Amino acid sequence: MFTGQQIAFIGGGNMTEALVSGLLKTGQVAPAQIIATDIRPERLEYLARSFSIRVSSDNARAVSGAHMIVLSVEPQILDEVLRGLTPSLDPDVLIVSVAAGYPLSRLNRVLARTGRSVRAMPNTPSIVGRGATALALSPDLSPQDIARATALFESVGSVTVVEERLMDAVTGLSGSGPAYVFLIIEALADGGVKAGLPRPVAAALAAQTVLGAATMVLETGLHPAELKDRVASPGGTTIAGLHALEQGGLRAALMSAVEAAAERSTELGCEPPSR
């Protein structure tokens, strides 16, 4: 898939670390095929030491000769980063952007090019190989381009291809969703402590409960409502707890959280270029 190809990661943060680790663990590339950039010398030192990859503080130098470029920087600074890359880009390079809310049309406009680009929204569980990534594809990608982009993110979890118009909704759900789940785990653990459990026990039970419930949804294929009903026996403890959650507005709060994050993703894509 990546034989003889060079991959440049612009931005050396957590997502770059996850993807580099995934590619190396799955044996798809050798360390010498990867270069990563960052403005922080200590981060570059960490990546080089941890993965034996090449590192640089010079974005333009890093992308020269690359077959795939992964843009892993904040959307607020991506315009500036792209303008610095333009003189060094090979016209046939495949560009993959993980910047939230940043549309392909804007990417191509800033780079003064068309096509061969992918917009991706991975999430933080990619760090532990359990990510959920959605891809939006430019129409002129080759089958090999699509296969390479898919393989990149399958190295850290599952991949779904969606129309680009749905990417802001993806951002609000799976992109931001881990934070919502962390909050739920914390709240469940706090409830356990309130009921008398030691905090380490409560935290472990809460996390494993969420993991187990999610696995049941994925592996059984059953609707979450059906699985919920299987737990809630008539007049029992679970239905009493569910009633309390409904009174507290948990369902509406989570729906509003997804909607708010999706709206912010749209705003980020519409903000004027950085100066």
Side-chain angles (χ1 to χ4, degrees), residues 203-227:
L205 287 173
Q208 184 62 38
T209 296
V210 171
L211 174 62
T215 302
M216 286 184 70
V217 172
L218 292 173
E219 294 191 359
T220 67
L222 297 174
H223 193 284
E226 182 175 348
L227 293 170

Side-chain angles (χ1 to χ4, degrees), residues 184-241:
I184 290 169
I185 292 172
E186 181 186 29
L188 286 172
D190 284 347
V193 171
K194 189 173 186 294
L197 291 174
R199 181 162 293 279
V201 173
L205 287 173
Q208 184 62 38
T209 296
V210 171
L211 174 62
T215 302
M216 286 184 70
V217 172
L218 292 173
E219 294 191 359
T220 67
L222 297 174
H223 193 284
E226 182 175 348
L227 293 170
K228 176 203 69 178
D229 289 347
R230 292 186 179 189
V231 184
S233 56
T237 59
T238 302
I239 195 64

Side-chain angles (χ1 to χ4, degrees), residues 8 29 38 45 66 68 74 83 100 109 134 138 154 183 218 222:
V29 299
D38 204 87
E45 181 182 344
M68 176 190 286
E74 294 297 322
R83 283 192 282 266
R109 183 175 68 252
S138 62
E154 283 185 338
L183 185 62
L218 292 173
L222 297 174

